[in-house]
Amino acid sequence: MKLFKRLLAASLVVALASPLAGAQSGRMASLSAPIVIGHRGASGERPEHTLASYELAIDEGADFIEPDLVLTKDNVFVARHENDITGTTDVGAHPEFAARKTTKTIDGRSHTGWFTEDFTLAELKTLRAKERLPQLRPANAKYDGQFTIPTLAEVIALAKKRSKELGRTIGIYPETKHPSYFASIGLPMERHLVAELKAAGWDSATAPVFIQSFEVNNLKLLHTLTRIRLIQLMDGSGGPADNATPSYAAMITPAGLKAVAAYAWGIGPNKDMVDKGEGTPTTLVADAHKAGLRVHVWTFRAENFFLPTSLKVGTDPIARGNVAEAIRRQLATGIDGFFTDFPLIGVTARNAYRTSAAK
């Protein structure tokens, strides 16, 4: 078991490295907060970024589904966690694409594999998705080979179709992945994304859309192009790949949050920046609200591997622990929404918290 845990930890470190004032205050739509965002769909139960994963998230009650967006060679948005598709598709089993394996530097890091920008959409559609974390989620791996890579257009169509069927609005929460890198290879994202969303009828603060990014200049440009609500993602260490600000730590100071509020509607911090899980929160939510920013934290995962000691159930790292309590503790801090790989658990925990708070 110890060896398994070490191997699992090593693989996951690699796989997971990679969730009311201000400029947009006059354009905000009221939401039934806190919202539940299906992180890459219901990625704890189906291979991430597949229509099956998004569909399950909707069935489980998610308010929004999240497609990470990268571009193809022919400039089409597709949903993948990274533009490196080595670990999320069966591309390595396609001899016709063997020569396209290459090494690239993206956001200062070297990656060897196959990349979406080297394939047309038609070529990508010949591939099939597979589970990114098979050691952690072996049940998901049983679906390997069943699903194609969806386009943004397909995700939008799914959200609209299911909204009509269910009589409730299903929103989308796209993330622009590596926008500076894509711009550097002649595939800028911002105007293209705004145009596609506008074609879908979405170009206002009341649209069921949030656009998120870990970069800053990407969001600042989007702020000049659309009225859709923007979310500045941030992590507990490091800083934006575009080097627009020294660090994420600088962004959560009062001055930093004020600067973010000039172009964004909210922030998307790593949940550990709000509460590491033991019920001792920081002041980030209160500070962000004071600056006029909403807070959508990422990402709640049910497996013991991701939970603090007090919320683990048993010793098996892939068994489910008490993630509902982790969510409840964060809801108590006043967060406005959260990402989860398990939307049904998230929705149930959110609804229980609402009921308790109303008493």
PDB file of all heavy atoms in Angstrom, residues 70 80 82-104 106 111-119 124 127 130 181:
ATOM      1  N   VAL A  70      -8.774  24.783 -25.699  1.00  0.00           N
ATOM      2  CA  VAL A  70      -7.541  24.888 -26.478  1.00  0.00           C
ATOM      3  C   VAL A  70      -7.944  24.931 -27.946  1.00  0.00           C
ATOM      4  O   VAL A  70      -9.099  24.711 -28.292  1.00  0.00           O
ATOM      5  CB  VAL A  70      -6.586  23.710 -26.189  1.00  0.00           C
ATOM      6  CG1 VAL A  70      -6.069  23.779 -24.766  1.00  0.00           C
ATOM      7  CG2 VAL A  70      -7.275  22.373 -26.447  1.00  0.00           C
ATOM      8  N   ARG A  80     -10.222  20.312 -23.815  1.00  0.00           N
ATOM      9  CA  ARG A  80      -9.184  19.437 -23.273  1.00  0.00           C
ATOM     10  C   ARG A  80      -8.554  20.149 -22.086  1.00  0.00           C
ATOM     11  O   ARG A  80      -8.423  21.375 -22.066  1.00  0.00           O
ATOM     12  CB  ARG A  80      -8.082  19.153 -24.278  1.00  0.00           C
ATOM     13  CG  ARG A  80      -8.397  18.248 -25.428  1.00  0.00           C
ATOM     14  CD  ARG A  80      -8.570  16.776 -25.040  1.00  0.00           C
ATOM     15  NE  ARG A  80      -9.943  16.489 -24.639  1.00  0.00           N
ATOM     16  CZ  ARG A  80     -10.338  15.374 -24.054  1.00  0.00           C
ATOM     17  NH1 ARG A  80      -9.466  14.440 -23.750  1.00  0.00           N
ATOM     18  NH2 ARG A  80     -11.609  15.188 -23.739  1.00  0.00           N
ATOM     19  N   GLU A  82      -5.473  20.178 -21.321  1.00  0.00           N
ATOM     20  CA  GLU A  82      -4.262  20.807 -21.851  1.00  0.00           C
ATOM     21  C   GLU A  82      -4.237  20.627 -23.359  1.00  0.00           C
ATOM     22  O   GLU A  82      -4.911  19.745 -23.902  1.00  0.00           O
ATOM     23  CB  GLU A  82      -3.009  20.168 -21.247  1.00  0.00           C
ATOM     24  CG  GLU A  82      -2.840  20.362 -19.754  1.00  0.00           C
ATOM     25  CD  GLU A  82      -2.457  21.789 -19.391  1.00  0.00           C
ATOM     26  OE1 GLU A  82      -2.015  22.544 -20.292  1.00  0.00           O
ATOM     27  OE2 GLU A  82      -2.581  22.143 -18.209  1.00  0.00           O
ATOM     28  N   ASN A  83      -3.419  21.433 -24.021  1.00  0.00           N
ATOM     29  CA  ASN A  83      -3.216  21.193 -25.453  1.00  0.00           C
ATOM     30  C   ASN A  83      -2.365  19.943 -25.683  1.00  0.00           C
ATOM     31  O   ASN A  83      -2.399  19.354 -26.762  1.00  0.00           O
ATOM     32  CB  ASN A  83      -2.590  22.405 -26.134  1.00  0.00           C
ATOM     33  CG  ASN A  83      -1.307  22.884 -25.481  1.00  0.00           C
ATOM     34  OD1 ASN A  83      -1.154  22.846 -24.256  1.00  0.00           O
ATOM     35  ND2 ASN A  83      -0.393  23.380 -26.288  1.00  0.00           N
ATOM     36  N   ASP A  84      -1.618  19.509 -24.674  1.00  0.00           N
ATOM     37  CA  ASP A  84      -0.916  18.230 -24.725  1.00  0.00           C
ATOM     38  C   ASP A  84      -1.955  17.136 -24.456  1.00  0.00           C
ATOM     39  O   ASP A  84      -2.465  17.000 -23.340  1.00  0.00           O
ATOM     40  CB  ASP A  84       0.188  18.189 -23.671  1.00  0.00           C
ATOM     41  CG  ASP A  84       0.993  16.898 -23.693  1.00  0.00           C
ATOM     42  OD1 ASP A  84       0.571  15.930 -24.351  1.00  0.00           O
ATOM     43  OD2 ASP A  84       2.040  16.856 -23.023  1.00  0.00           O
ATOM     44  N   ILE A  85      -2.268  16.350 -25.471  1.00  0.00           N
ATOM     45  CA  ILE A  85      -3.339  15.357 -25.366  1.00  0.00           C
ATOM     46  C   ILE A  85      -2.809  13.934 -25.171  1.00  0.00           C
ATOM     47  O   ILE A  85      -3.554  12.967 -25.286  1.00  0.00           O
ATOM     48  CB  ILE A  85      -4.249  15.405 -26.611  1.00  0.00           C
ATOM     49  CG1 ILE A  85      -3.424  15.238 -27.902  1.00  0.00           C
ATOM     50  CG2 ILE A  85      -5.048  16.702 -26.629  1.00  0.00           C
ATOM     51  CD1 ILE A  85      -4.272  15.112 -29.161  1.00  0.00           C
ATOM     52  N   THR A  86      -1.544  13.832 -24.809  1.00  0.00           N
ATOM     53  CA  THR A  86      -0.923  12.518 -24.663  1.00  0.00           C
ATOM     54  C   THR A  86      -1.646  11.659 -23.627  1.00  0.00           C
ATOM     55  O   THR A  86      -1.893  10.475 -23.849  1.00  0.00           O
ATOM     56  CB  THR A  86       0.553  12.675 -24.255  1.00  0.00           C
ATOM     57  OG1 THR A  86       1.195  13.591 -25.155  1.00  0.00           O
ATOM     58  CG2 THR A  86       1.269  11.341 -24.281  1.00  0.00           C
ATOM     59  N   GLY A  87      -1.987  12.261 -22.494  1.00  0.00           N
ATOM     60  CA  GLY A  87      -2.573  11.502 -21.406  1.00  0.00           C
ATOM     61  C   GLY A  87      -4.083  11.456 -21.386  1.00  0.00           C
ATOM     62  O   GLY A  87      -4.665  10.747 -20.553  1.00  0.00           O
ATOM     63  N   THR A  88      -4.736  12.180 -22.287  1.00  0.00           N
ATOM     64  CA  THR A  88      -6.202  12.226 -22.249  1.00  0.00           C
ATOM     65  C   THR A  88      -6.861  11.658 -23.498  1.00  0.00           C
ATOM     66  O   THR A  88      -8.088  11.679 -23.608  1.00  0.00           O
ATOM     67  CB  THR A  88      -6.697  13.675 -22.050  1.00  0.00           C
ATOM     68  OG1 THR A  88      -6.275  14.483 -23.157  1.00  0.00           O
ATOM     69  CG2 THR A  88      -6.184  14.248 -20.747  1.00  0.00           C
ATOM     70  N   THR A  89      -6.057  11.154 -24.428  1.00  0.00           N
ATOM     71  CA  THR A  89      -6.588  10.518 -25.636  1.00  0.00           C
ATOM     72  C   THR A  89      -5.748   9.298 -25.981  1.00  0.00           C
ATOM     73  O   THR A  89      -4.684   9.063 -25.397  1.00  0.00           O
ATOM     74  CB  THR A  89      -6.577  11.461 -26.854  1.00  0.00           C
ATOM     75  OG1 THR A  89      -5.224  11.627 -27.305  1.00  0.00           O
ATOM     76  CG2 THR A  89      -7.178  12.822 -26.539  1.00  0.00           C
ATOM     77  N   ASP A  90      -6.201   8.553 -26.972  1.00  0.00           N
ATOM     78  CA  ASP A  90      -5.461   7.375 -27.440  1.00  0.00           C
ATOM     79  C   ASP A  90      -4.530   7.706 -28.599  1.00  0.00           C
ATOM     80  O   ASP A  90      -4.173   6.826 -29.390  1.00  0.00           O
ATOM     81  CB  ASP A  90      -6.437   6.267 -27.844  1.00  0.00           C
ATOM     82  CG  ASP A  90      -7.345   6.672 -29.021  1.00  0.00           C
ATOM     83  OD1 ASP A  90      -7.283   7.842 -29.480  1.00  0.00           O
ATOM     84  OD2 ASP A  90      -8.120   5.818 -29.477  1.00  0.00           O
ATOM     85  N   VAL A  91      -4.104   8.965 -28.685  1.00  0.00           N
ATOM     86  CA  VAL A  91      -3.283   9.390 -29.817  1.00  0.00           C
ATOM     87  C   VAL A  91      -2.025   8.538 -29.967  1.00  0.00           C
ATOM     88  O   VAL A  91      -1.553   8.275 -31.084  1.00  0.00           O
ATOM     89  CB  VAL A  91      -2.918  10.890 -29.700  1.00  0.00           C
ATOM     90  CG1 VAL A  91      -2.064  11.172 -28.474  1.00  0.00           C
ATOM     91  CG2 VAL A  91      -2.234  11.393 -30.964  1.00  0.00           C
ATOM     92  N   GLY A  92      -1.458   8.075 -28.848  1.00  0.00           N
ATOM     93  CA  GLY A  92      -0.246   7.262 -28.911  1.00  0.00           C
ATOM     94  C   GLY A  92      -0.448   5.925 -29.584  1.00  0.00           C
ATOM     95  O   GLY A  92       0.532   5.282 -29.998  1.00  0.00           O
ATOM     96  N   ALA A  93      -1.707   5.510 -29.716  1.00  0.00           N
ATOM     97  CA  ALA A  93      -2.007   4.230 -30.367  1.00  0.00           C
ATOM     98  C   ALA A  93      -2.315   4.392 -31.843  1.00  0.00           C
ATOM     99  O   ALA A  93      -2.698   3.421 -32.509  1.00  0.00           O
ATOM    100  CB  ALA A  93      -3.192   3.561 -29.658  1.00  0.00           C
ATOM    101  N   HIS A  94      -2.153   5.607 -32.372  1.00  0.00           N
ATOM    102  CA  HIS A  94      -2.432   5.885 -33.784  1.00  0.00           C
ATOM    103  C   HIS A  94      -1.105   6.029 -34.538  1.00  0.00           C
ATOM    104  O   HIS A  94      -0.474   7.090 -34.492  1.00  0.00           O
ATOM    105  CB  HIS A  94      -3.252   7.175 -33.918  1.00  0.00           C
ATOM    106  CG  HIS A  94      -4.687   7.020 -33.540  1.00  0.00           C
ATOM    107  ND1 HIS A  94      -5.713   7.025 -34.469  1.00  0.00           N
ATOM    108  CD2 HIS A  94      -5.276   6.859 -32.323  1.00  0.00           C
ATOM    109  CE1 HIS A  94      -6.862   6.878 -33.844  1.00  0.00           C
ATOM    110  NE2 HIS A  94      -6.631   6.764 -32.543  1.00  0.00           N
ATOM    111  N   PRO A  95      -0.671   4.998 -35.238  1.00  0.00           N
ATOM    112  CA  PRO A  95       0.620   5.082 -35.940  1.00  0.00           C
ATOM    113  C   PRO A  95       0.664   6.194 -36.975  1.00  0.00           C
ATOM    114  O   PRO A  95       1.745   6.714 -37.273  1.00  0.00           O
ATOM    115  CB  PRO A  95       0.758   3.696 -36.585  1.00  0.00           C
ATOM    116  CG  PRO A  95      -0.626   3.123 -36.615  1.00  0.00           C
ATOM    117  CD  PRO A  95      -1.322   3.691 -35.422  1.00  0.00           C
ATOM    118  N   GLU A  96      -0.487   6.575 -37.519  1.00  0.00           N
ATOM    119  CA  GLU A  96      -0.487   7.630 -38.529  1.00  0.00           C
ATOM    120  C   GLU A  96      -0.075   8.983 -37.958  1.00  0.00           C
ATOM    121  O   GLU A  96       0.272   9.908 -38.697  1.00  0.00           O
ATOM    122  CB  GLU A  96      -1.871   7.739 -39.196  1.00  0.00           C
ATOM    123  CG  GLU A  96      -2.995   8.234 -38.288  1.00  0.00           C
ATOM    124  CD  GLU A  96      -3.706   7.130 -37.514  1.00  0.00           C
ATOM    125  OE1 GLU A  96      -3.073   6.083 -37.250  1.00  0.00           O
ATOM    126  OE2 GLU A  96      -4.892   7.326 -37.172  1.00  0.00           O
ATOM    127  N   PHE A  97      -0.110   9.101 -36.611  1.00  0.00           N
ATOM    128  CA  PHE A  97       0.265  10.366 -35.986  1.00  0.00           C
ATOM    129  C   PHE A  97       1.583  10.264 -35.205  1.00  0.00           C
ATOM    130  O   PHE A  97       1.956  11.210 -34.500  1.00  0.00           O
ATOM    131  CB  PHE A  97      -0.842  10.845 -35.035  1.00  0.00           C
ATOM    132  CG  PHE A  97      -2.160  11.097 -35.718  1.00  0.00           C
ATOM    133  CD1 PHE A  97      -3.343  10.645 -35.159  1.00  0.00           C
ATOM    134  CD2 PHE A  97      -2.218  11.806 -36.913  1.00  0.00           C
ATOM    135  CE1 PHE A  97      -4.567  10.881 -35.779  1.00  0.00           C
ATOM    136  CE2 PHE A  97      -3.433  12.053 -37.545  1.00  0.00           C
ATOM    137  CZ  PHE A  97      -4.613  11.578 -36.978  1.00  0.00           C
ATOM    138  N   ALA A  98       2.278   9.168 -35.341  1.00  0.00           N
ATOM    139  CA  ALA A  98       3.497   8.965 -34.558  1.00  0.00           C
ATOM    140  C   ALA A  98       4.530  10.064 -34.791  1.00  0.00           C
ATOM    141  O   ALA A  98       5.211  10.511 -33.859  1.00  0.00           O
ATOM    142  CB  ALA A  98       4.099   7.597 -34.891  1.00  0.00           C
ATOM    143  N   ALA A  99       4.634  10.519 -36.023  1.00  0.00           N
ATOM    144  CA  ALA A  99       5.654  11.520 -36.351  1.00  0.00           C
ATOM    145  C   ALA A  99       5.357  12.892 -35.771  1.00  0.00           C
ATOM    146  O   ALA A  99       6.229  13.772 -35.772  1.00  0.00           O
ATOM    147  CB  ALA A  99       5.794  11.630 -37.872  1.00  0.00           C
ATOM    148  N   ARG A 100       4.155  13.071 -35.256  1.00  0.00           N
ATOM    149  CA  ARG A 100       3.799  14.385 -34.701  1.00  0.00           C
ATOM    150  C   ARG A 100       4.168  14.533 -33.230  1.00  0.00           C
ATOM    151  O   ARG A 100       3.988  15.601 -32.646  1.00  0.00           O
ATOM    152  CB  ARG A 100       2.307  14.657 -34.895  1.00  0.00           C
ATOM    153  CG  ARG A 100       1.931  14.727 -36.362  1.00  0.00           C
ATOM    154  CD  ARG A 100       0.572  15.299 -36.603  1.00  0.00           C
ATOM    155  NE  ARG A 100       0.086  14.921 -37.920  1.00  0.00           N
ATOM    156  CZ  ARG A 100      -1.075  15.272 -38.424  1.00  0.00           C
ATOM    157  NH1 ARG A 100      -1.898  16.037 -37.711  1.00  0.00           N
ATOM    158  NH2 ARG A 100      -1.440  14.869 -39.627  1.00  0.00           N
ATOM    159  N   LYS A 101       4.667  13.471 -32.643  1.00  0.00           N
ATOM    160  CA  LYS A 101       5.135  13.592 -31.265  1.00  0.00           C
ATOM    161  C   LYS A 101       6.340  14.511 -31.236  1.00  0.00           C
ATOM    162  O   LYS A 101       7.271  14.378 -32.037  1.00  0.00           O
ATOM    163  CB  LYS A 101       5.516  12.214 -30.708  1.00  0.00           C
ATOM    164  CG  LYS A 101       5.847  12.235 -29.223  1.00  0.00           C
ATOM    165  CD  LYS A 101       6.079  10.836 -28.681  1.00  0.00           C
ATOM    166  CE  LYS A 101       6.304  10.847 -27.184  1.00  0.00           C
ATOM    167  NZ  LYS A 101       6.523   9.476 -26.645  1.00  0.00           N
ATOM    168  N   THR A 102       6.309  15.467 -30.328  1.00  0.00           N
ATOM    169  CA  THR A 102       7.348  16.492 -30.320  1.00  0.00           C
ATOM    170  C   THR A 102       7.518  17.053 -28.916  1.00  0.00           C
ATOM    171  O   THR A 102       6.778  16.689 -27.988  1.00  0.00           O
ATOM    172  CB  THR A 102       6.984  17.619 -31.305  1.00  0.00           C
ATOM    173  OG1 THR A 102       8.078  18.534 -31.409  1.00  0.00           O
ATOM    174  CG2 THR A 102       5.746  18.379 -30.838  1.00  0.00           C
ATOM    175  N   THR A 103       8.490  17.912 -28.749  1.00  0.00           N
ATOM    176  CA  THR A 103       8.724  18.582 -27.467  1.00  0.00           C
ATOM    177  C   THR A 103       8.530  20.080 -27.638  1.00  0.00           C
ATOM    178  O   THR A 103       9.075  20.674 -28.583  1.00  0.00           O
ATOM    179  CB  THR A 103      10.139  18.287 -26.946  1.00  0.00           C
ATOM    180  OG1 THR A 103      10.286  16.881 -26.732  1.00  0.00           O
ATOM    181  CG2 THR A 103      10.395  19.021 -25.632  1.00  0.00           C
ATOM    182  N   LYS A 104       7.759  20.676 -26.748  1.00  0.00           N
ATOM    183  CA  LYS A 104       7.484  22.110 -26.808  1.00  0.00           C
ATOM    184  C   LYS A 104       7.655  22.725 -25.426  1.00  0.00           C
ATOM    185  O   LYS A 104       7.497  22.041 -24.407  1.00  0.00           O
ATOM    186  CB  LYS A 104       6.053  22.358 -27.291  1.00  0.00           C
ATOM    187  CG  LYS A 104       5.753  21.810 -28.675  1.00  0.00           C
ATOM    188  CD  LYS A 104       4.385  22.275 -29.166  1.00  0.00           C
ATOM    189  CE  LYS A 104       4.086  21.732 -30.556  1.00  0.00           C
ATOM    190  NZ  LYS A 104       2.889  22.367 -31.152  1.00  0.00           N
ATOM    191  N   ILE A 106       5.941  25.353 -23.047  1.00  0.00           N
ATOM    192  CA  ILE A 106       4.675  26.051 -22.854  1.00  0.00           C
ATOM    193  C   ILE A 106       4.659  26.634 -21.457  1.00  0.00           C
ATOM    194  O   ILE A 106       4.827  25.912 -20.466  1.00  0.00           O
ATOM    195  CB  ILE A 106       3.484  25.089 -23.057  1.00  0.00           C
ATOM    196  CG1 ILE A 106       3.532  24.506 -24.476  1.00  0.00           C
ATOM    197  CG2 ILE A 106       2.155  25.804 -22.815  1.00  0.00           C
ATOM    198  CD1 ILE A 106       2.608  23.341 -24.688  1.00  0.00           C
ATOM    199  N   HIS A 111       7.347  20.121 -22.491  1.00  0.00           N
ATOM    200  CA  HIS A 111       6.369  19.037 -22.605  1.00  0.00           C
ATOM    201  C   HIS A 111       6.690  18.210 -23.854  1.00  0.00           C
ATOM    202  O   HIS A 111       6.924  18.772 -24.924  1.00  0.00           O
ATOM    203  CB  HIS A 111       4.947  19.590 -22.739  1.00  0.00           C
ATOM    204  CG  HIS A 111       4.486  20.389 -21.567  1.00  0.00           C
ATOM    205  ND1 HIS A 111       3.691  19.876 -20.571  1.00  0.00           N
ATOM    206  CD2 HIS A 111       4.713  21.695 -21.225  1.00  0.00           C
ATOM    207  CE1 HIS A 111       3.436  20.812 -19.671  1.00  0.00           C
ATOM    208  NE2 HIS A 111       4.057  21.914 -20.047  1.00  0.00           N
ATOM    209  N   THR A 112       6.666  16.905 -23.710  1.00  0.00           N
ATOM    210  CA  THR A 112       6.855  16.020 -24.848  1.00  0.00           C
ATOM    211  C   THR A 112       5.577  15.215 -25.058  1.00  0.00           C
ATOM    212  O   THR A 112       5.083  14.574 -24.128  1.00  0.00           O
ATOM    213  CB  THR A 112       8.033  15.061 -24.628  1.00  0.00           C
ATOM    214  OG1 THR A 112       9.235  15.818 -24.483  1.00  0.00           O
ATOM    215  CG2 THR A 112       8.180  14.101 -25.803  1.00  0.00           C
ATOM    216  N   GLY A 113       5.050  15.271 -26.260  1.00  0.00           N
ATOM    217  CA  GLY A 113       3.825  14.542 -26.550  1.00  0.00           C
ATOM    218  C   GLY A 113       3.191  15.018 -27.835  1.00  0.00           C
ATOM    219  O   GLY A 113       3.880  15.465 -28.763  1.00  0.00           O
ATOM    220  N   TRP A 114       1.882  14.935 -27.890  1.00  0.00           N
ATOM    221  CA  TRP A 114       1.102  15.366 -29.042  1.00  0.00           C
ATOM    222  C   TRP A 114       0.229  16.549 -28.624  1.00  0.00           C
ATOM    223  O   TRP A 114      -0.324  16.562 -27.515  1.00  0.00           O
ATOM    224  CB  TRP A 114       0.217  14.236 -29.543  1.00  0.00           C
ATOM    225  CG  TRP A 114       0.951  13.107 -30.212  1.00  0.00           C
ATOM    226  CD1 TRP A 114       1.186  12.963 -31.545  1.00  0.00           C
ATOM    227  CD2 TRP A 114       1.510  11.948 -29.586  1.00  0.00           C
ATOM    228  NE1 TRP A 114       1.858  11.788 -31.804  1.00  0.00           N
ATOM    229  CE2 TRP A 114       2.075  11.140 -30.615  1.00  0.00           C
ATOM    230  CE3 TRP A 114       1.598  11.501 -28.256  1.00  0.00           C
ATOM    231  CZ2 TRP A 114       2.705   9.928 -30.354  1.00  0.00           C
ATOM    232  CZ3 TRP A 114       2.241  10.301 -27.995  1.00  0.00           C
ATOM    233  CH2 TRP A 114       2.779   9.530 -29.037  1.00  0.00           C
ATOM    234  N   PHE A 115       0.067  17.535 -29.521  1.00  0.00           N
ATOM    235  CA  PHE A 115      -0.569  18.795 -29.147  1.00  0.00           C
ATOM    236  C   PHE A 115      -1.698  19.152 -30.117  1.00  0.00           C
ATOM    237  O   PHE A 115      -1.565  18.964 -31.326  1.00  0.00           O
ATOM    238  CB  PHE A 115       0.480  19.912 -29.124  1.00  0.00           C
ATOM    239  CG  PHE A 115       1.592  19.666 -28.131  1.00  0.00           C
ATOM    240  CD1 PHE A 115       2.680  18.871 -28.469  1.00  0.00           C
ATOM    241  CD2 PHE A 115       1.516  20.194 -26.860  1.00  0.00           C
ATOM    242  CE1 PHE A 115       3.692  18.618 -27.554  1.00  0.00           C
ATOM    243  CE2 PHE A 115       2.528  19.950 -25.926  1.00  0.00           C
ATOM    244  CZ  PHE A 115       3.617  19.155 -26.278  1.00  0.00           C
ATOM    245  N   THR A 116      -2.766  19.682 -29.575  1.00  0.00           N
ATOM    246  CA  THR A 116      -3.960  19.961 -30.388  1.00  0.00           C
ATOM    247  C   THR A 116      -3.670  20.877 -31.559  1.00  0.00           C
ATOM    248  O   THR A 116      -4.265  20.725 -32.633  1.00  0.00           O
ATOM    249  CB  THR A 116      -5.071  20.601 -29.535  1.00  0.00           C
ATOM    250  OG1 THR A 116      -4.614  21.834 -28.944  1.00  0.00           O
ATOM    251  CG2 THR A 116      -5.554  19.656 -28.452  1.00  0.00           C
ATOM    252  N   GLU A 117      -2.756  21.822 -31.377  1.00  0.00           N
ATOM    253  CA  GLU A 117      -2.494  22.804 -32.435  1.00  0.00           C
ATOM    254  C   GLU A 117      -1.789  22.187 -33.648  1.00  0.00           C
ATOM    255  O   GLU A 117      -1.633  22.853 -34.681  1.00  0.00           O
ATOM    256  CB  GLU A 117      -1.679  23.984 -31.892  1.00  0.00           C
ATOM    257  CG  GLU A 117      -0.296  23.650 -31.378  1.00  0.00           C
ATOM    258  CD  GLU A 117      -0.252  23.316 -29.893  1.00  0.00           C
ATOM    259  OE1 GLU A 117      -1.294  22.898 -29.352  1.00  0.00           O
ATOM    260  OE2 GLU A 117       0.831  23.469 -29.285  1.00  0.00           O
ATOM    261  N   ASP A 118      -1.382  20.932 -33.528  1.00  0.00           N
ATOM    262  CA  ASP A 118      -0.750  20.235 -34.645  1.00  0.00           C
ATOM    263  C   ASP A 118      -1.725  19.315 -35.379  1.00  0.00           C
ATOM    264  O   ASP A 118      -1.315  18.558 -36.276  1.00  0.00           O
ATOM    265  CB  ASP A 118       0.443  19.412 -34.145  1.00  0.00           C
ATOM    266  CG  ASP A 118       1.537  20.292 -33.569  1.00  0.00           C
ATOM    267  OD1 ASP A 118       1.703  21.438 -34.044  1.00  0.00           O
ATOM    268  OD2 ASP A 118       2.212  19.846 -32.624  1.00  0.00           O
ATOM    269  N   PHE A 119      -3.012  19.391 -35.004  1.00  0.00           N
ATOM    270  CA  PHE A 119      -4.042  18.538 -35.605  1.00  0.00           C
ATOM    271  C   PHE A 119      -5.217  19.386 -36.074  1.00  0.00           C
ATOM    272  O   PHE A 119      -5.581  20.369 -35.426  1.00  0.00           O
ATOM    273  CB  PHE A 119      -4.583  17.532 -34.579  1.00  0.00           C
ATOM    274  CG  PHE A 119      -3.599  16.497 -34.130  1.00  0.00           C
ATOM    275  CD1 PHE A 119      -2.623  16.806 -33.185  1.00  0.00           C
ATOM    276  CD2 PHE A 119      -3.639  15.213 -34.646  1.00  0.00           C
ATOM    277  CE1 PHE A 119      -1.710  15.856 -32.767  1.00  0.00           C
ATOM    278  CE2 PHE A 119      -2.734  14.245 -34.228  1.00  0.00           C
ATOM    279  CZ  PHE A 119      -1.767  14.572 -33.291  1.00  0.00           C
ATOM    280  N   LEU A 124      -8.505  15.243 -35.011  1.00  0.00           N
ATOM    281  CA  LEU A 124      -8.765  15.022 -33.589  1.00  0.00           C
ATOM    282  C   LEU A 124     -10.004  14.164 -33.366  1.00  0.00           C
ATOM    283  O   LEU A 124     -10.072  13.382 -32.406  1.00  0.00           O
ATOM    284  CB  LEU A 124      -8.926  16.355 -32.854  1.00  0.00           C
ATOM    285  CG  LEU A 124      -7.654  17.166 -32.591  1.00  0.00           C
ATOM    286  CD1 LEU A 124      -8.008  18.466 -31.886  1.00  0.00           C
ATOM    287  CD2 LEU A 124      -6.659  16.370 -31.764  1.00  0.00           C
ATOM    288  N   LEU A 127      -9.669  10.490 -32.799  1.00  0.00           N
ATOM    289  CA  LEU A 127      -9.138  10.016 -31.519  1.00  0.00           C
ATOM    290  C   LEU A 127     -10.281   9.746 -30.545  1.00  0.00           C
ATOM    291  O   LEU A 127     -11.411  10.193 -30.751  1.00  0.00           O
ATOM    292  CB  LEU A 127      -8.186  11.054 -30.919  1.00  0.00           C
ATOM    293  CG  LEU A 127      -7.041  11.545 -31.812  1.00  0.00           C
ATOM    294  CD1 LEU A 127      -6.206  12.566 -31.058  1.00  0.00           C
ATOM    295  CD2 LEU A 127      -6.182  10.371 -32.283  1.00  0.00           C
ATOM    296  N   LYS A 130      -9.618   9.221 -23.013  1.00  0.00           N
ATOM    297  CA  LYS A 130      -9.368   8.221 -21.981  1.00  0.00           C
ATOM    298  C   LYS A 130      -9.190   8.927 -20.640  1.00  0.00           C
ATOM    299  O   LYS A 130      -8.943  10.149 -20.577  1.00  0.00           O
ATOM    300  CB  LYS A 130      -8.155   7.370 -22.315  1.00  0.00           C
ATOM    301  CG  LYS A 130      -6.816   8.111 -22.305  1.00  0.00           C
ATOM    302  CD  LYS A 130      -5.669   7.152 -22.625  1.00  0.00           C
ATOM    303  CE  LYS A 130      -4.322   7.840 -22.508  1.00  0.00           C
ATOM    304  NZ  LYS A 130      -3.200   6.914 -22.819  1.00  0.00           N
ATOM    305  N   TYR A 181       0.580  31.554 -24.953  1.00  0.00           N
ATOM    306  CA  TYR A 181       1.245  30.592 -25.817  1.00  0.00           C
ATOM    307  C   TYR A 181       0.524  30.494 -27.153  1.00  0.00           C
ATOM    308  O   TYR A 181       1.169  30.531 -28.221  1.00  0.00           O
ATOM    309  CB  TYR A 181       1.302  29.216 -25.149  1.00  0.00           C
ATOM    310  CG  TYR A 181       1.664  28.115 -26.117  1.00  0.00           C
ATOM    311  CD1 TYR A 181       2.979  27.942 -26.529  1.00  0.00           C
ATOM    312  CD2 TYR A 181       0.681  27.287 -26.662  1.00  0.00           C
ATOM    313  CE1 TYR A 181       3.312  26.951 -27.448  1.00  0.00           C
ATOM    314  CE2 TYR A 181       1.004  26.293 -27.578  1.00  0.00           C
ATOM    315  CZ  TYR A 181       2.312  26.135 -27.969  1.00  0.00           C
ATOM    316  OH  TYR A 181       2.641  25.165 -28.888  1.00  0.00           O
TER     317      TYR A 181
END
